[in-house]
């Protein structure tokens, strides 16, 4: 019998609430994560969040402009802890 992803997360001790995040940022030929470390990229004065895509595995999702992304992330930290330890995150480049 194949176990569902919820059962697998429970067995592994992970939260079963799963959130997919996709941070959209400005990049150029010489300013990108393929050319710089994450820290260099985020600390660079050219860093700019252009939006945040999100999808809960229960179906709720959307895209937030930069001016709404901070409030969304603050709400997540309030609900799931400052390090978001109460939710399982999936995504690329989640270091920032």
């Amino acid at each position: 019998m194949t176990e569902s992803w919820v059962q697998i997360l429970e067995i592994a001790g992970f939260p079963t609430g799963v959130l997919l995040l996709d941070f959209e940022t400005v990049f150029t030929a010489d300013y990108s994560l393929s050319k710089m470390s994450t820290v260099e990229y985020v600390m660079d004065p050219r860093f700019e969040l252009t939006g945040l895509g999100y999808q809960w595995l229960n179906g709720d999702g959307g895209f937030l402009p930069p001016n709404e992304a901070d409030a969304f992330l603050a709400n997540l930290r309030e609900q799931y802890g400052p390090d978001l330890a109460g939710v399982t995150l999936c995504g690329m480049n989640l270091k920032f």
Side-chain angles (χ1 to χ4, degrees):
M1 174 170 96
T2 303
E3 296 181 71
S4 76
W5 59 269
V6 173
Q7 291 170 315
I8 293 168
L9 289 173
E10 287 174 343
I11 291 167
F14 284 92
T16 56
V18 178
L19 176 60
L20 310 173
L21 292 177
D22 183 17
F23 289 87
E24 298 298 330
T25 60
V26 170
F27 64 93
T28 64
D30 65 326
Y31 172 65
S32 71
L33 284 167
S34 63
K35 304 269 181 174
M36 314 166 85
S37 73
T38 302
V39 172
E40 291 170 323
Y41 181 77
V42 173
M43 297 305 295
D44 191 284
R46 294 172 286 184
F47 181 80
E48 180 183 348
L49 180 69
T50 58
L52 175 62
Y54 70 95
Q55 181 72 49
W56 289 96
L57 286 193
N58 71 0
D60 183 33
F63 184 82
L64 300 169
N67 63 328
E68 295 177 25
D70 282 342
F72 178 78
L73 294 171
N75 186 45
L76 288 177
R77 286 190 296 274
E78 190 174 299
Q79 287 185 330
Y80 301 104
D83 297 329
L84 302 180
V87 65
T88 297
L89 295 176
C90 297
M92 293 189 63
N93 302 314
L94 289 180
K95 294 177 185 174
F96 63 86

Coordinates of all heavy atoms in Angstrom, one line a residue:
M1 N 0.8 -1.2 0.0 CA 0.0 0.0 0.0 C 0.9 1.2 0.0 O 1.8 1.4 0.8 CB -0.9 0.0 1.2 CG -1.7 1.2 1.4 SD -2.9 1.0 2.7 CE -2.1 1.8 4.1
T2 N 0.6 2.2 -0.9 CA 1.3 3.4 -0.9 C 0.8 4.4 0.1 O -0.4 4.6 0.2 CB 1.2 4.1 -2.3 OG1 1.7 3.2 -3.3 CG2 2.0 5.4 -2.4
E3 N 1.6 5.0 0.9 CA 1.2 5.9 1.9 C 1.0 7.3 1.3 O 1.8 7.7 0.4 CB 2.2 6.0 3.1 CG 2.4 4.6 3.8 CD 3.3 4.7 4.9 OE1 3.0 5.3 5.9 OE2 4.4 4.1 4.8
S4 N 0.1 8.0 1.8 CA -0.2 9.4 1.3 C 0.9 10.3 1.8 O 1.6 10.0 2.8 CB -1.5 9.9 1.8 OG -1.5 10.3 3.1
W5 N 1.1 11.5 1.2 CA 2.1 12.4 1.6 C 1.8 12.9 3.0 O 2.8 13.2 3.8 CB 2.2 13.6 0.6 CG 0.9 14.4 0.4 CD1 0.0 14.1 -0.5 CD2 0.5 15.5 1.2 NE1 -1.1 15.0 -0.4 CE2 -0.8 15.9 0.7 CE3 1.0 16.2 2.3 CZ2 -1.5 17.0 1.2 CZ3 0.3 17.3 2.8 CH2 -0.9 17.6 2.2
V6 N 0.6 12.9 3.5 CA 0.3 13.3 4.8 C 0.8 12.3 5.8 O 1.4 12.7 6.8 CB -1.3 13.5 5.0 CG1 -1.6 13.8 6.5 CG2 -1.8 14.7 4.2
Q7 N 0.6 11.0 5.5 CA 1.1 10.0 6.4 C 2.6 10.0 6.5 O 3.2 9.8 7.5 CB 0.6 8.6 5.9 CG -0.9 8.4 6.1 CD -1.4 7.2 5.4 OE1 -1.0 6.9 4.3 NE2 -2.2 6.4 6.1
I8 N 3.2 10.3 5.3 CA 4.7 10.3 5.3 C 5.2 11.4 6.1 O 6.2 11.3 6.9 CB 5.2 10.4 3.8 CG1 4.9 9.1 3.1 CG2 6.7 10.7 3.7 CD1 5.0 9.1 1.6
L9 N 4.6 12.6 6.0 CA 5.0 13.8 6.8 C 4.8 13.5 8.3 O 5.7 13.8 9.1 CB 4.3 15.0 6.4 CG 4.6 15.6 5.1 CD1 3.7 16.8 4.8 CD2 6.0 16.1 5.1
E10 N 3.7 12.8 8.7 CA 3.5 12.5 10.1 C 4.6 11.5 10.6 O 5.1 11.7 11.7 CB 2.1 11.8 10.2 CG 1.0 12.8 10.1 CD -0.4 12.2 10.1 OE1 -0.5 11.0 9.9 OE2 -1.4 12.9 10.3
I11 N 4.9 10.5 9.8 CA 5.9 9.5 10.2 C 7.3 10.2 10.4 O 8.0 9.9 11.3 CB 6.0 8.4 9.1 CG1 4.7 7.5 9.2 CG2 7.3 7.5 9.3 CD1 4.6 6.6 8.0
A12 N 7.6 11.2 9.5 CA 8.8 11.9 9.6 C 8.8 12.9 10.7 O 9.9 13.5 11.0 CB 9.1 12.5 8.2
G13 N 7.7 13.2 11.3 CA 7.6 14.2 12.3 C 7.5 15.7 11.8 O 7.8 16.6 12.5
F14 N 7.1 15.8 10.5 CA 6.9 17.2 10.0 C 5.4 17.6 10.1 O 4.5 16.8 10.1 CB 7.3 17.2 8.5 CG 8.8 17.1 8.2 CD1 9.4 15.9 8.1 CD2 9.5 18.3 8.1 CE1 10.8 15.9 7.8 CE2 10.8 18.3 7.9 CZ 11.5 17.1 7.7
P15 N 5.2 18.9 10.1 CA 3.8 19.4 10.1 C 3.1 19.0 8.8 O 3.8 18.9 7.7 CB 4.0 20.9 10.1 CG 5.3 21.2 10.7 CD 6.2 20.0 10.2
T16 N 1.8 18.7 8.9 CA 1.1 18.2 7.7 C 0.5 19.4 6.9 O 0.0 19.2 5.8 CB 0.0 17.2 8.0 OG1 -0.9 17.8 9.0 CG2 0.6 16.0 8.6
G17 N 0.6 20.6 7.4 CA 0.2 21.8 6.6 C 1.4 22.1 5.7 O 2.5 22.3 6.2
V18 N 1.2 22.1 4.4 CA 2.2 22.2 3.4 C 2.0 23.5 2.6 O 0.9 23.6 2.0 CB 2.4 21.0 2.5 CG1 3.5 21.3 1.5 CG2 2.7 19.8 3.3
L19 N 3.0 24.4 2.5 CA 2.9 25.6 1.8 C 4.0 25.7 0.8 O 5.2 25.6 1.1 CB 3.0 26.8 2.8 CG 3.0 28.2 2.2 CD1 1.7 28.5 1.4 CD2 3.2 29.3 3.3
L20 N 3.6 26.0 -0.4 CA 4.6 26.2 -1.5 C 4.8 27.7 -1.7 O 3.8 28.4 -1.8 CB 4.1 25.6 -2.8 CG 3.6 24.2 -2.8 CD1 2.9 23.8 -4.1 CD2 4.7 23.2 -2.5
L21 N 6.0 28.1 -1.7 CA 6.3 29.6 -1.8 C 7.2 29.8 -3.0 O 8.1 29.0 -3.3 CB 7.0 30.1 -0.6 CG 6.3 30.2 0.7 CD1 7.2 30.7 1.8 CD2 5.0 31.1 0.5
D22 N 6.9 30.9 -3.8 CA 7.8 31.2 -4.9 C 8.0 32.7 -4.8 O 7.1 33.5 -5.2 CB 7.1 30.9 -6.2 CG 7.9 31.2 -7.4 OD1 9.1 31.3 -7.3 OD2 7.3 31.2 -8.6
F23 N 9.2 33.1 -4.4 CA 9.6 34.5 -4.3 C 10.0 35.0 -5.7 O 11.0 34.4 -6.3 CB 10.7 34.7 -3.3 CG 10.3 34.5 -1.9 CD1 10.3 33.3 -1.3 CD2 9.9 35.6 -1.1 CE1 9.9 33.1 0.0 CE2 9.5 35.4 0.2 CZ 9.5 34.2 0.8
E24 N 9.4 36.0 -6.2 CA 9.8 36.6 -7.5 C 10.6 37.8 -7.2 O 10.2 38.7 -6.4 CB 8.5 37.0 -8.3 CG 7.6 35.8 -8.7 CD 8.3 34.8 -9.5 OE1 9.2 35.1 -10.3 OE2 8.0 33.6 -9.4
T25 N 11.8 37.9 -7.8 CA 12.7 39.0 -7.6 C 13.3 39.4 -8.9 O 13.3 38.7 -9.9 CB 13.9 38.5 -6.6 OG1 14.6 37.4 -7.2 CG2 13.3 38.1 -5.3
V26 N 13.9 40.6 -8.9 CA 14.6 41.2 -10.0 C 15.9 40.4 -10.2 O 16.6 40.1 -9.3 CB 14.9 42.7 -9.8 CG1 15.8 43.2 -10.9 CG2 13.6 43.4 -9.7
F27 N 16.2 40.1 -11.5 CA 17.5 39.6 -11.8 C 17.9 40.1 -13.2 O 17.1 40.5 -14.0 CB 17.5 38.0 -11.8 CG 16.6 37.4 -12.8 CD1 17.1 37.0 -14.0 CD2 15.2 37.2 -12.5 CE1 16.2 36.4 -15.0 CE2 14.4 36.6 -13.5 CZ 14.9 36.3 -14.7
T28 N 19.2 40.1 -13.4 CA 19.8 40.4 -14.7 C 20.9 39.4 -15.1 O 21.1 38.4 -14.3 CB 20.5 41.8 -14.7 OG1 21.6 41.8 -13.8 CG2 19.5 42.9 -14.2
A29 N 21.5 39.6 -16.2 CA 22.6 38.6 -16.6 C 23.7 38.5 -15.6 O 24.2 37.4 -15.4 CB 23.1 39.1 -18.0
D30 N 24.1 39.6 -15.0 CA 25.2 39.6 -14.0 C 24.7 39.6 -12.5 O 25.5 39.4 -11.6 CB 26.1 40.7 -14.2 CG 25.5 42.1 -14.0 OD1 24.3 42.3 -14.2 OD2 26.3 43.0 -13.5
Y31 N 23.4 39.8 -12.3 CA 22.8 39.8 -11.0 C 21.8 38.7 -10.9 O 20.6 38.8 -11.2 CB 22.2 41.1 -10.7 CG 21.5 41.2 -9.4 CD1 22.1 41.0 -8.1 CD2 20.1 41.3 -9.3 CE1 21.4 41.0 -6.9 CE2 19.4 41.3 -8.1 CZ 20.1 41.2 -7.0 OH 19.4 41.2 -5.8
S32 N 22.3 37.5 -10.4 CA 21.4 36.3 -10.3 C 21.9 35.3 -9.4 O 23.1 35.4 -9.0 CB 21.2 35.7 -11.7 OG 22.4 35.0 -12.1
L33 N 21.1 34.4 -8.9 CA 21.5 33.4 -8.0 C 22.5 32.4 -8.6 O 23.2 31.7 -7.9 CB 20.3 32.7 -7.4 CG 19.6 33.5 -6.3 CD1 18.2 32.8 -6.0 CD2 20.4 33.6 -5.1
S34 N 22.5 32.3 -9.9 CA 23.5 31.4 -10.6 C 24.9 32.1 -10.6 O 25.9 31.4 -10.8 CB 23.0 31.1 -12.0 OG 23.0 32.3 -12.8
K35 N 25.0 33.4 -10.4 CA 26.2 34.1 -10.4 C 26.7 34.5 -9.0 O 27.9 34.9 -8.8 CB 26.1 35.4 -11.2 CG 25.7 35.1 -12.6 CD 26.8 34.9 -13.5 CE 26.2 34.8 -14.9 NZ 27.2 34.7 -15.9
M36 N 25.8 34.4 -8.0 CA 26.1 34.9 -6.6 C 25.6 33.9 -5.6 O 24.7 33.2 -5.9 CB 25.4 36.3 -6.4 CG 25.6 37.3 -7.5 SD 24.4 38.6 -7.3 CE 25.4 39.7 -6.3
S37 N 26.2 34.0 -4.4 CA 25.6 33.3 -3.3 C 24.3 33.9 -2.9 O 24.0 35.1 -3.2 CB 26.6 33.3 -2.1 OG 26.6 34.5 -1.5
T38 N 23.5 33.2 -2.1 CA 22.2 33.7 -1.7 C 22.4 35.0 -0.9 O 21.7 36.0 -1.0 CB 21.4 32.7 -0.9 OG1 21.2 31.5 -1.7 CG2 20.1 33.2 -0.4
V39 N 23.4 35.0 0.0 CA 23.6 36.1 0.9 C 24.0 37.3 0.0 O 23.5 38.4 0.2 CB 24.7 35.8 2.0 CG1 25.1 37.0 2.7 CG2 24.2 34.7 2.9
E40 N 24.9 37.1 -0.9 CA 25.4 38.2 -1.8 C 24.2 38.8 -2.6 O 24.0 40.0 -2.7 CB 26.4 37.7 -2.8 CG 27.8 37.4 -2.1 CD 28.7 36.7 -3.1 OE1 28.2 35.9 -3.9 OE2 29.9 37.1 -3.0
Y41 N 23.3 37.9 -3.1 CA 22.2 38.3 -3.9 C 21.2 39.1 -3.0 O 20.8 40.2 -3.5 CB 21.5 37.0 -4.4 CG 20.3 37.3 -5.3 CD1 20.4 37.7 -6.6 CD2 19.0 37.1 -4.8 CE1 19.3 37.9 -7.4 CE2 17.9 37.3 -5.6 CZ 18.1 37.7 -6.9 OH 17.0 37.9 -7.7
V42 N 20.8 38.6 -1.8 CA 19.9 39.3 -1.0 C 20.4 40.6 -0.4 O 19.7 41.6 -0.3 CB 19.4 38.4 0.1 CG1 18.5 39.1 1.1 CG2 18.6 37.2 -0.5
M43 N 21.7 40.7 -0.1 CA 22.3 41.9 0.5 C 22.6 43.0 -0.6 O 22.9 44.1 -0.2 CB 23.5 41.5 1.3 CG 23.2 40.6 2.5 SD 21.9 41.3 3.6 CE 22.7 42.7 4.2
D44 N 22.6 42.6 -1.8 CA 23.0 43.5 -2.9 C 21.9 44.6 -3.0 O 20.7 44.4 -2.8 CB 23.0 42.7 -4.2 CG 23.6 43.6 -5.3 OD1 22.9 44.5 -5.9 OD2 24.8 43.3 -5.7
P45 N 22.3 45.9 -3.2 CA 21.3 47.0 -3.3 C 20.3 46.8 -4.5 O 19.3 47.4 -4.5 CB 22.2 48.2 -3.5 CG 23.6 47.8 -3.8 CD 23.7 46.3 -3.4
R46 N 20.6 45.9 -5.4 CA 19.7 45.7 -6.5 C 18.6 44.7 -6.2 O 17.6 44.6 -6.9 CB 20.4 45.1 -7.7 CG 21.4 46.1 -8.3 CD 22.3 45.4 -9.4 NE 23.2 44.5 -8.7 CZ 24.2 43.9 -9.4 NH1 24.3 43.9 -10.7 NH2 25.0 43.1 -8.7
F47 N 18.7 44.1 -5.0 CA 17.6 43.1 -4.6 C 16.3 43.8 -4.5 O 16.1 44.9 -3.9 CB 17.9 42.5 -3.2 CG 16.9 41.5 -2.8 CD1 16.9 40.2 -3.3 CD2 15.9 41.8 -1.9 CE1 16.0 39.3 -3.0 CE2 14.9 40.9 -1.5 CZ 15.0 39.6 -2.1
E48 N 15.3 43.2 -5.1 CA 13.9 43.7 -5.1 C 12.9 42.6 -5.2 O 13.0 41.8 -6.2 CB 13.7 44.7 -6.3 CG 12.3 45.3 -6.3 CD 12.2 46.2 -7.5 OE1 13.1 46.6 -8.2 OE2 11.0 46.5 -7.8
L49 N 12.0 42.5 -4.3 CA 10.9 41.5 -4.4 C 9.9 42.1 -5.3 O 9.4 43.2 -5.1 CB 10.3 41.3 -3.0 CG 9.2 40.3 -2.9 CD1 9.7 38.9 -3.2 CD2 8.5 40.4 -1.6
T50 N 9.5 41.3 -6.3 CA 8.5 41.8 -7.3 C 7.2 41.1 -7.0 O 6.2 41.5 -7.6 CB 8.9 41.6 -8.7 OG1 9.2 40.2 -8.9 CG2 10.2 42.4 -9.0
G51 N 7.2 40.1 -6.2 CA 5.9 39.4 -5.9 C 6.2 38.1 -5.1 O 7.3 37.6 -5.1
L52 N 5.1 37.5 -4.6 CA 5.2 36.3 -3.9 C 4.0 35.4 -4.3 O 2.9 35.7 -4.0 CB 5.2 36.5 -2.4 CG 5.1 35.3 -1.5 CD1 6.4 34.4 -1.7 CD2 5.0 35.7 0.0
G53 N 4.4 34.2 -4.9 CA 3.3 33.2 -5.2 C 3.3 32.3 -4.1 O 4.3 31.9 -3.5
Y54 N 2.0 31.8 -3.8 CA 1.9 30.8 -2.7 C 0.8 29.9 -3.0 O -0.1 30.2 -3.8 CB 1.6 31.5 -1.3 CG 0.2 32.2 -1.3 CD1 -0.8 31.5 -0.7 CD2 0.0 33.4 -1.7 CE1 -2.1 32.1 -0.6 CE2 -1.2 34.0 -1.7 CZ -2.3 33.3 -1.1 OH -3.5 33.9 -1.1
Q55 N 0.9 28.6 -2.5 CA -0.1 27.6 -2.8 C -0.1 26.7 -1.6 O 0.9 26.0 -1.3 CB 0.2 26.8 -4.0 CG -0.8 25.8 -4.4 CD -2.1 26.3 -4.8 OE1 -2.2 27.2 -5.7 NE2 -3.2 25.9 -4.3
W56 N -1.2 26.6 -0.9 CA -1.4 25.6 0.2 C -1.8 24.3 -0.5 O -2.6 24.3 -1.5 CB -2.5 26.0 1.2 CG -2.1 27.1 2.1 CD1 -2.3 28.4 1.9 CD2 -1.3 27.0 3.3 NE1 -1.8 29.2 2.9 CE2 -1.1 28.3 3.8 CE3 -0.7 25.9 3.9 CZ2 -0.4 28.6 4.9 CZ3 0.0 26.2 5.1 CH2 0.1 27.5 5.6
L57 N -1.4 23.2 -0.1 CA -1.8 21.9 -0.7 C -3.2 21.6 -0.5 O -3.7 20.7 -1.2 CB -0.9 20.7 -0.2 CG 0.5 20.8 -0.8 CD1 1.2 19.4 -0.6 CD2 0.6 21.1 -2.3
N58 N -3.9 22.4 0.3 CA -5.4 22.2 0.4 C -6.1 23.0 -0.7 O -7.3 23.0 -0.7 CB -5.9 22.6 1.8 CG -5.8 24.1 2.0 OD1 -5.4 24.9 1.1 ND2 -6.2 24.6 3.2
G59 N -5.4 23.7 -1.5 CA -6.0 24.3 -2.7 C -6.0 25.9 -2.7 O -6.1 26.5 -3.7
D60 N -5.9 26.5 -1.5 CA -5.8 28.0 -1.4 C -4.5 28.5 -1.9 O -3.5 28.0 -1.5 CB -6.1 28.4 0.0 CG -6.2 29.9 0.1 OD1 -6.7 30.6 -0.8 OD2 -5.8 30.4 1.2
G61 N -4.5 29.5 -2.8 CA -3.3 30.0 -3.2 C -3.5 31.3 -4.0 O -4.6 31.8 -4.1
G62 N -2.4 31.9 -4.4 CA -2.5 33.2 -5.2 C -1.1 33.8 -5.4 O -0.1 33.2 -5.1
F63 N -1.2 35.0 -5.8 CA 0.0 35.8 -6.0 C -0.2 37.2 -5.4 O -1.2 37.8 -5.5 CB 0.3 36.0 -7.5 CG 1.6 36.7 -7.8 CD1 2.8 36.0 -7.8 CD2 1.6 38.1 -8.1 CE1 4.0 36.7 -8.1 CE2 2.8 38.8 -8.3 CZ 4.0 38.1 -8.3
L64 N 0.8 37.6 -4.6 CA 0.8 38.8 -3.8 C 1.8 39.8 -4.4 O 3.0 39.5 -4.6 CB 1.1 38.6 -2.4 CG 0.1 37.6 -1.7 CD1 0.7 37.2 -0.3 CD2 -1.2 38.2 -1.5
P65 N 1.4 41.1 -4.6 CA 2.4 42.1 -4.9 C 3.3 42.4 -3.7 O 2.9 42.0 -2.6 CB 1.5 43.3 -5.3 CG 0.2 43.1 -4.6 CD 0.0 41.6 -4.5
P66 N 4.4 43.0 -3.9 CA 5.4 43.2 -2.8 C 4.8 43.9 -1.6 O 5.1 43.6 -0.5 CB 6.4 44.1 -3.5 CG 6.3 44.0 -4.9 CD 4.9 43.6 -5.2
N67 N 3.8 44.9 -1.8 CA 3.3 45.6 -0.7 C 2.4 44.7 0.2 O 2.0 45.1 1.3 CB 2.6 46.8 -1.1 CG 1.4 46.5 -2.0 OD1 1.4 45.6 -2.8 ND2 0.4 47.4 -2.0
E68 N 2.0 43.5 -0.3 CA 1.1 42.6 0.5 C 1.9 41.4 1.0 O 1.5 40.7 1.9 CB 0.0 42.1 -0.3 CG -1.0 43.2 -0.7 CD -2.2 42.7 -1.6 OE1 -2.5 41.5 -1.5 OE2 -2.7 43.5 -2.3
A69 N 3.1 41.2 0.4 CA 3.9 40.0 0.8 C 4.4 40.1 2.3 O 4.4 39.1 3.0 CB 5.1 39.8 -0.1
D70 N 4.8 41.2 2.7 CA 5.3 41.4 4.1 C 4.2 41.0 5.1 O 4.5 40.3 6.1 CB 5.8 42.8 4.4 CG 7.2 43.0 3.8 OD1 7.9 42.1 3.4 OD2 7.6 44.2 3.6
A71 N 3.0 41.5 4.9 CA 1.9 41.2 5.8 C 1.6 39.7 5.8 O 1.3 39.1 6.9 CB 0.7 42.0 5.5
F72 N 1.6 39.1 4.6 CA 1.3 37.7 4.5 C 2.4 36.9 5.3 O 2.0 36.0 6.1 CB 1.4 37.3 3.0 CG 1.1 35.8 2.8 CD1 -0.1 35.3 2.8 CD2 2.2 35.0 2.4 CE1 -0.3 33.9 2.6 CE2 2.0 33.7 2.2 CZ 0.8 33.1 2.2
L73 N 3.7 37.2 5.1 CA 4.7 36.5 5.8 C 4.7 36.8 7.3 O 4.9 35.9 8.1 CB 6.1 36.9 5.3 CG 6.3 36.5 3.8 CD1 7.6 37.2 3.3 CD2 6.4 35.0 3.7
A74 N 4.3 38.0 7.7 CA 4.2 38.3 9.2 C 3.0 37.4 9.8 O 3.2 36.9 10.9 CB 3.9 39.8 9.4
N75 N 2.0 37.3 9.0 CA 0.8 36.4 9.5 C 1.3 35.0 9.6 O 0.9 34.3 10.6 CB -0.3 36.6 8.5 CG -1.6 35.8 9.0 OD1 -1.9 35.9 10.2 ND2 -2.2 35.1 8.1
L76 N 2.1 34.5 8.7 CA 2.6 33.1 8.7 C 3.4 32.9 10.0 O 3.3 31.9 10.7 CB 3.4 32.8 7.5 CG 2.7 32.6 6.2 CD1 3.7 32.3 5.1 CD2 1.7 31.4 6.3
R77 N 4.3 33.9 10.3 CA 5.2 33.8 11.4 C 4.3 33.8 12.7 O 4.6 33.1 13.7 CB 6.2 34.9 11.4 CG 7.3 34.7 10.4 CD 8.5 35.7 10.6 NE 8.1 37.1 10.3 CZ 8.0 37.7 9.2 NH1 8.4 37.0 8.1 NH2 7.7 38.9 9.0
E78 N 3.3 34.6 12.7 CA 2.4 34.7 13.9 C 1.7 33.3 14.1 O 1.6 32.8 15.2 CB 1.4 35.8 13.7 CG 0.5 36.1 14.9 CD -0.4 37.3 14.7 OE1 0.2 38.4 14.5 OE2 -1.6 37.1 14.8
Q79 N 1.2 32.7 13.0 CA 0.5 31.4 13.1 C 1.4 30.2 13.3 O 1.0 29.3 14.0 CB -0.3 31.2 11.8 CG -1.5 32.1 11.7 CD -2.3 31.7 10.5 OE1 -1.8 31.2 9.5 NE2 -3.6 31.9 10.5
Y80 N 2.6 30.2 12.7 CA 3.4 29.0 12.7 C 4.8 29.2 13.3 O 5.6 28.3 13.2 CB 3.6 28.5 11.2 CG 2.3 28.2 10.6 CD1 1.7 29.1 9.6 CD2 1.6 27.1 10.9 CE1 0.5 28.8 9.1 CE2 0.4 26.8 10.3 CZ -0.2 27.7 9.4 OH -1.4 27.4 8.8
G81 N 5.0 30.3 14.0 CA 6.3 30.5 14.7 C 7.2 31.4 13.9 O 7.1 31.4 12.7
P82 N 8.2 32.0 14.6 CA 9.1 32.9 13.9 C 9.9 32.3 12.8 O 10.3 32.9 11.9 CB 9.9 33.5 15.0 CG 9.8 32.6 16.2 CD 8.4 31.9 16.0
D83 N 10.2 31.0 13.0 CA 11.0 30.3 12.0 C 10.1 29.4 11.1 O 10.6 28.6 10.3 CB 12.1 29.4 12.6 CG 13.1 30.2 13.4 OD1 13.3 31.4 12.9 OD2 13.6 29.8 14.4
L84 N 8.8 29.6 11.2 CA 7.8 28.8 10.4 C 7.9 27.3 10.6 O 7.7 26.5 9.8 CB 7.8 29.2 8.9 CG 7.6 30.6 8.6 CD1 7.7 30.9 7.1 CD2 6.3 31.1 9.1
A85 N 8.3 26.9 11.9 CA 8.5 25.5 12.2 C 7.2 24.7 12.3 O 7.2 23.5 12.2 CB 9.3 25.4 13.5
G86 N 6.1 25.4 12.3 CA 4.8 24.8 12.4 C 4.2 24.5 11.1 O 3.0 24.0 11.0
V87 N 4.9 24.7 10.0 CA 4.4 24.4 8.7 C 5.5 23.8 7.8 O 6.7 24.1 8.0 CB 3.8 25.7 8.0 CG1 4.9 26.7 7.8 CG2 3.0 25.4 6.7
T88 N 5.2 22.9 6.9 CA 6.2 22.4 6.0 C 6.2 23.3 4.8 O 5.2 23.4 4.1 CB 5.9 20.9 5.6 OG1 5.9 20.1 6.8 CG2 6.9 20.4 4.6
L89 N 7.4 23.8 4.5 CA 7.6 24.7 3.3 C 8.2 24.0 2.2 O 9.1 23.2 2.4 CB 8.5 25.9 3.7 CG 7.9 26.9 4.7 CD1 9.0 28.0 5.0 CD2 6.6 27.5 4.2
C90 N 7.8 24.3 1.0 CA 8.4 23.8 -0.2 C 8.6 24.9 -1.2 O 7.8 25.9 -1.2 CB 7.5 22.8 -0.9 SG 7.1 21.3 0.0
G91 N 9.7 24.9 -1.9 CA 9.9 26.0 -2.8 C 11.4 26.0 -3.2 O 12.2 25.2 -2.8
M92 N 11.7 26.9 -4.1 CA 13.1 27.1 -4.5 C 13.7 28.4 -3.8 O 13.0 29.3 -3.7 CB 13.2 27.3 -6.0 CG 12.8 26.0 -6.7 SD 13.1 26.1 -8.5 CE 14.9 26.3 -8.5
N93 N 14.9 28.3 -3.5 CA 15.6 29.5 -2.9 C 14.9 30.0 -1.7 O 14.8 31.2 -1.5 CB 15.8 30.6 -4.0 CG 16.6 30.1 -5.2 OD1 17.6 29.4 -5.0 ND2 16.1 30.3 -6.4
L94 N 14.4 29.1 -0.8 CA 13.7 29.6 0.4 C 14.7 30.2 1.4 O 14.2 30.6 2.5 CB 12.9 28.4 1.0 CG 11.7 28.0 0.2 CD1 11.0 26.8 0.9 CD2 10.7 29.1 0.0
K95 N 15.9 30.2 1.2 CA 16.9 30.7 2.1 C 16.6 32.2 2.4 O 16.9 32.7 3.4 CB 18.3 30.6 1.6 CG 18.8 29.1 1.6 CD 20.2 29.0 1.0 CE 20.6 27.6 0.8 NZ 21.8 27.5 0.1
F96 N 16.0 32.9 1.4 CA 15.7 34.3 1.6 C 14.2 34.5 1.7 O 13.6 35.5 2.0 CB 16.3 35.2 0.6 CG 15.9 35.0 -0.8 CD1 14.7 35.7 -1.3 CD2 16.6 34.3 -1.7 CE1 14.4 35.5 -2.6 CE2 16.3 34.1 -3.0 CZ 15.2 34.7 -3.5

